[in-house]
Amino acid sequence: MKFTGQLTVQAPRAEVYKAVRDARFFAACVDGVSELTETAPDVYAAVFETKVAYMKFRFKSRVEVVRADQPSEIEAKGRRHSARHCRRLTATALTRLSDAETDGGIGTRIDYEVEAALTGKLGSLGQPVLRSKAKEMERPICRAARRGFCWFGCGPTPAAP
């Protein structure tokens, strides 16, 4: 299953790259992520909790940054095995950054895509339910990211998608 999207923030690309590359900043943008620890350079463990349809999920996950081309791309892979409702979850996330015009001048366009594979009860819910959950999660992540860039003095927070 593939999820894609984009947002534009009022911040220079180098600053956006630096923030997105910071695991703590990125995790703070995702509701439900806790217990983030760096287990090796560019390898992280975290807990992610969410509710999909009528089921609650708690994943202990491992994420590794497998490629980082400053200041334009970051690729990460994550996996979780043997969770209660999900026998296996694997995901690859690719983030591309490019210069963009904003109302305030210099900005950065963030294009992202996530390819995920799920098995077990979570996988059996079907793509429409999981796509709906992904869209539900996307809006607050985008708002949090924009707010985060504004904390660095990058201008006003634009409306979320």
Side-chain angles (χ1 to χ4, degrees), residues 9-145:
V9 295
Q10 190 174 321
R13 185 164 38 142
E15 291 299 315
V16 173
Y17 180 89
K18 188 172 149 185
V20 172
R21 191 76 172 82
D22 178 350
R24 296 209 182 282
F25 172 85
F26 187 79
C29 293
V30 181
D31 195 28
V33 173
S34 63
E35 301 177 33
L36 177 70
T37 56
E38 185 172 21
T39 60
D42 286 337
V43 179
Y44 303 90
V47 173
F48 175 64
E49 295 182 72
T50 192
K51 184 177 178 182
V52 179
Y54 55 89
M55 294 188 284
K56 287 186 178 182
F57 298 95
R58 185 174 203 269
F59 297 101
K60 290 184 179 178
S61 303
R62 178 184 181 275
V63 176
E64 178 179 4
V65 176
V66 295
R67 186 166 49 94
D69 297 328
Q70 188 173 355
S72 51
E73 284 190 355
I74 300 170
E75 183 176 4
K77 293 187 178 192
R79 68 174 188 255
R80 171 61 183 130
H81 297 278
S82 301
R84 184 172 155 211
H85 296 296
C86 178
R87 289 202 173 94
R88 183 176 56 93
L89 162 66
T90 58
T92 300
L94 178 62
T95 303
R96 291 186 179 99
L97 307 175
S98 56
D99 294 330
E101 292 288 323
T102 67
D103 292 339
I106 298 172
T108 301
R109 177 178 163 146
I110 304 169
D111 290 285
Y112 55 90
E113 58 186 63
V114 178
E115 183 78 41
L118 303 157
T119 62
K121 285 184 182 178
L122 182 55
S124 70
L125 287 174
Q127 287 193 15
V129 172
L130 296 173
R131 285 189 190 285
S132 175
K133 180 62 180 181
K135 279 295 181 190
E136 175 188 317
M137 291 177 64
E138 180 182 46
R139 286 182 286 280
I141 290 170
C142 290
R143 280 193 299 271

